[in-house]
Amino acid sequence: MFGFQHEDMNFDELVESGIPTLFIDLDVRENRAGFISSDNEEAVQRVMQYLVGLQHRRISFISGNKESYANRFRLEGYRAGLAEAGLPYRGDYVAEGDYTREAGYRGMKELLALSDPPTAVVCCSDMSAIGAMEAITEAGLSVPGDISVVGFDDIELASYVRPALTTVRQDRITIGRKSIEMLDELINDAELAPPETIVPTELIVRDSCGPAKSKQ
């Protein structure tokens, strides 16, 4: 398995070589290369449904790396969730990040500086969500009393931070197992079409989300 990004120097050569290749979180289905990923778009759309159910209407988004596959589909899920709830998409509610704690902190600071800051934020990773919570606390606000926070990944730290982080759990065991199985099938069947598999996720509800304040 390989984890190249599109801008990598040898990416095209690898795909064109015909070497059986299985990418994770990179939507390539060409020649002898396929991919596997979590249901990024559907996962974030479910998060949006959950937050809307808690009466949040000002929901923001802290992105991952702008050009990454996962970020693209998680942003689509965010936009789909807004549309489903009849809420407008606001560019100023989308803060650029890179999945890191530092980017989450910076992004949340930008969102808090708005004249009408969000009451909930969806982050593209748990680490950026933890950074966002730090910025919220530093501003003298509480999670989830003032702002609800949701992450993505369900890393081990997510259940230990306070408040414990509501997040999307990726099924890493299934992704790893199916990656090996799919690659083995590609190696042993020269006629096999490039595979594509999307693995379901699970919303893990913990303590970092709560009902929106009545005035929105």
Side-chain angles (χ1 to χ4, degrees):
M1 290 177 288
F2 295 86
F4 288 97
Q5 297 294 325
H6 282 289
E7 63 270 18
D8 286 326
M9 183 182 302
N10 295 320
F11 176 85
D12 290 334
E13 289 89 337
L14 175 63
V15 173
E16 292 170 4
S17 72
I19 297 172
T21 307
L22 198 286
F23 293 95
I24 298 175
D25 283 343
L26 190 58
D27 54 339
V28 177
R29 293 186 71 235
E30 182 180 347
N31 203 355
R32 302 283 290 142
F35 81 99
I36 186 170
S37 179
S38 294
D39 62 345
N40 294 285
E41 182 173 350
E42 293 84 353
V44 175
Q45 192 167 357
R46 288 194 299 272
V47 168
M48 295 295 288
Q49 292 166 349
Y50 171 68
L51 292 172
V52 169
L54 291 172
Q55 304 305 309
H56 290 281
R57 298 296 180 266
R58 300 203 308 269
I59 306 171
S60 60
F61 182 82
I62 298 179
S63 76
N65 294 327
K66 189 174 182 180
E67 302 302 324
S68 71
Y69 167 88
N71 179 71
R72 175 157 44 99
F73 283 94
R74 291 173 195 177
L75 180 58
E76 284 301 310
Y78 169 71
R79 298 189 72 147
L82 289 173
E84 182 180 41
L87 300 173
Y89 173 82
R90 293 179 46 169
D92 60 345
Y93 269 18
V94 177
E96 285 195 22
D98 58 11
Y99 301 108
T100 65
R101 187 174 188 161
E102 293 77 14
Y105 176 85
R106 290 193 305 269
M108 195 68 237
K109 294 276 281 188
E110 294 172 10
L111 294 167
L112 290 171
L114 296 173
S115 59
D116 52 348
T119 63
V121 58
V122 180
C123 302
C124 256
S125 75
D126 288 345
M127 289 307 299
S128 63
I130 291 168
M133 289 198 294
E134 290 174 347
I136 293 167
T137 301
E138 185 180 282
L141 301 172
S142 70
V143 178
D146 294 297
I147 302 177
S148 291
V149 180
V150 183
F152 202 112
D153 291 327
D154 195 30
I155 62 175
E156 185 175 2
L157 186 59
S159 62
Y160 292 106
V161 294
R162 291 292 177 266
L165 182 63
T166 294
T167 186
V168 174
R169 175 178 293 164
Q170 300 197 74
D171 189 349
R172 295 185 182 87
I173 293 175
T174 295
I175 289 174
R177 174 177 53 79
K178 290 188 72 69
S179 296
I180 298 299
E181 292 173 354
M182 292 163 65
L183 184 58
D184 185 63
E185 290 171 357
L186 274 172
I187 292 170
N188 289 290
D189 186 351
E191 303 301 319
L192 185 68
E196 171 186 354
T197 296
I198 302 298
V199 178
T201 56
E202 180 183 2
L203 176 61
I204 305 298
V205 175
R206 296 195 178 101
D207 301 326
S208 65
C209 291
K213 288 187 173 180
S214 56
K215 185 177 179 180
Q216 289 223 36

